[in-house]
Amino acid sequence: MALIVQKYGGSSVANAERIQAVARRIAGAKDRGDQVVVVVSAMGDTTDDLIQLACSITQRPDEREMDLLLSTGEVVSCTLMAMALKSLGYQAVSLTGFQAGIRTEAAWGRARILRVDPDRIHHELEAGRIVVVAGFQGITDNLDVTTLGRGGSDTTAVALAAALGSPRCEIYTDVEGVYTADPRMVPEARKLSEIGYEDMLELATWGAKVMHPRAVELGQVWNIPILVASSFTEAPGTLIHGEANMEVRNKVSGIAHEMNVAKVTVRGVPDRPGIAASIFEPLARAGVSVDTIVQNASADNITDLSFTVAKQDLSKAMPQVEKTAREIGASGCLGEPGLGKVSIVGGGMQNAPGYAARMFRALYEAGINIEMITTSEIRITCLVREDRVKDAVVALHRAFELDQP
């Protein structure tokens, strides 16, 4: 008998019929003799609807109250799932994040899990019940409800698998696994049977929506294999784990992309110690996340500095940057929306030459201009115009022959 942790996303529990279908799948695991812990997301677009509702009350909802409001979506899902299981004749109990023992830091909207006390879950399992936990949420030591950020139910599931000693965590969603690219952009994209933690973390961080990066990172730290599969079919999924075989012929695992990116450039920046801190500290205080930072070589102690932010954060970032630019004596700054990112990812690239050249050649032959470049040991990311992102993904998928097994 194994202890199984399963997570079902919002599309999997979007209505009563889908909840009942998932309940039958869960019941099948119980019938095989397993102990089952289930984590559920909010139904369909519930979270977006709650955000819209709050914003119709006030343009600036209080962060603490927003976390309590948004946590109710998952509570609705877990109670309905427990009801569905009981209607099938199974013992089940629904638990909020607090009741499940998920303790977090006091960071509204983006809390990180500090610890999990699994005693209540163990007690319910020993009583023969299926445990259904509300994902995406936890509670502080002061008993305030927090949320883990969008996609946080993945993190909840992996954290519970680690705390309960489960041999793996199963993530069920509306796709059949992890693909070499978004199959909506590239019909020839190939489903991977397995992928390593590092490659999956890079893909998730740089645009692949199938898994939340924090969940992958947590799985890697605690060595919890993660199965990504569809809740709508019985097709085998993709196993994310630490021993994925290296493909000898092709060392690129996949192509990730991200839309809705904006670039900020600060021109004529004095090249002296402390300047970078003076630019980025006000952005951090304003809650603006920054990545893909590029600084040009200094000439006469003057340089240009560019970085990217989410397009929706551009209006919040520019006043901060403009104020700082005046204070440090920069010659000006420019905000440019309408960009996107495309990345190639693969653990095998770090010890093999030629991948950057191959990527740049493919984009050149597709007539796509590169705005910025950033890299890690196993990733190369190019910033391109948003309306050319799809073309870039298709060109790179073809160039690296990712449709071939």
Side-chain angles (χ1 to χ4, degrees), residues 125-308:
L125 291 172
E126 289 166 3
R129 299 185 182 95
I130 299 169
V131 180
V132 187
V133 178
F136 176 65
Q137 62 185 255
I139 197 162
T140 70
D141 288 340
N142 290 328
L143 304 185
D144 284 317
V145 173
T146 56
T147 63
L148 309 181
R150 299 303 291 263
S153 292
D154 288 352
T155 307
T156 301
V158 178
L160 287 177
L164 294 166
S166 178
R168 75 177 184 182
C169 180
E170 300 174 355
I171 305 291
Y172 291 99
T173 181
D174 54 1
V175 296
E176 293 186 350
V178 180
Y179 285 75
T180 51
D182 187 337
R184 293 170 297 184
M185 284 190 172
V186 186
E188 301 81 18
R190 178 172 51 88
K191 185 175 69 177
L192 301 170
S193 61
E194 62 176 352
I195 186 171
Y197 291 121
E198 290 187 354
D199 284 14
M200 189 65 240
L201 182 57
E202 289 282 3
L203 286 171
T205 300
W206 293 90
K209 304 301 184 186
V210 67
M211 276 292 298
H212 195 280
R214 281 168 57 186
V216 180
E217 184 178 25
L218 196 59
Q220 182 177 23
V221 169
W222 291 91
N223 195 28
I224 302 294
I226 304 168
L227 175 71
V228 180
S230 171
S231 62
F232 302 105
T233 73
E234 297 298 327
T238 301
L239 186 64
I240 306 167
H241 63 142
E243 299 180 358
N245 293 327
M246 177 61 65
E247 292 185 350
V248 175
R249 196 185 63 80
N250 197 337
K251 296 181 174 64
V252 173
S253 297
I255 312 293
H257 74 277
E258 186 176 356
M259 301 290 200
N260 300 317
V261 177
K263 179 173 71 171
V264 177
T265 299
V266 187
R267 301 191 183 279
V269 179
D271 189 5
R272 61 174 185 264
I275 288 296
S278 66
I279 292 173
F280 293 112
E281 285 176 349
L283 292 170
R285 289 193 293 269
V288 176
S289 181
V290 171
D291 60 13
T292 317
I293 302 170
V294 174
Q295 180 173 309
N296 295 334
S298 176
D300 299 324
N301 292 321
I302 297 294
T303 186
D304 292 343
L305 187 149
S306 297
F307 57 90
T308 61

Side-chain angles (χ1 to χ4, degrees), residues 2 19 25 39 65 74 77 81 96 119 160 165 196 216 246 270-271 276 286 290 307-308 349 369-370:
I19 289 173
R25 180 186 287 263
V39 176
E65 304 307 327
E74 278 70 18
S77 295
M81 185 62 71
T96 65
D119 287 351
L160 287 177
V216 180
M246 177 61 65
D271 189 5
V290 171
F307 57 90
T308 61
M349 294 194 300
N369 187 52
I370 300 172

Side-chain angles (χ1 to χ4, degrees), residues 15-166:
N15 54 45
E17 291 74 20
R18 291 186 179 182
I19 289 173
Q20 290 167 333
V22 167
R24 290 191 291 270
R25 180 186 287 263
I26 295 167
K30 182 67 173 176
D31 288 342
R32 291 191 291 271
D34 294 326
Q35 294 181 311
V36 187
V37 176
V38 179
V39 176
V40 290
S41 297
M43 298 172 63
D45 297 326
T46 297
T47 302
D48 290 333
D49 293 342
L50 290 172
I51 292 172
Q52 184 176 357
L53 179 60
C55 291
S56 71
I57 300 296
T58 173
Q59 292 183 346
R60 305 185 72 176
D62 180 83
E63 290 181 323
R64 179 193 179 277
E65 304 307 327
M66 278 296 290
D67 268 20
L68 185 56
L69 173 66
L70 297 182
S71 72
T72 63
E74 278 70 18
V75 174
V76 169
S77 295
C78 76
T79 53
L80 292 175
M81 185 62 71
M83 292 178 188
L85 288 164
K86 290 178 181 180
S87 73
L88 295 174
Y90 294 83
Q91 295 185 66
V93 61
S94 62
L95 301 177
T96 65
F98 169 42
Q99 292 170 317
I102 300 171
R103 295 284 181 163
T104 75
E105 61 185 1
W108 313 121
R110 60 183 191 279
R112 289 185 173 270
I113 297 173
L114 299 177
R115 62 188 182 277
V116 177
D117 178 2
D119 287 351
R120 174 69 184 275
I121 295 178
H122 280 307
H123 172 75
E124 300 293 351
L125 291 172
E126 289 166 3
R129 299 185 182 95
I130 299 169
V131 180
V132 187
V133 178
F136 176 65
Q137 62 185 255
I139 197 162
T140 70
D141 288 340
N142 290 328
L143 304 185
D144 284 317
V145 173
T146 56
T147 63
L148 309 181
R150 299 303 291 263
S153 292
D154 288 352
T155 307
T156 301
V158 178
L160 287 177
L164 294 166
S166 178

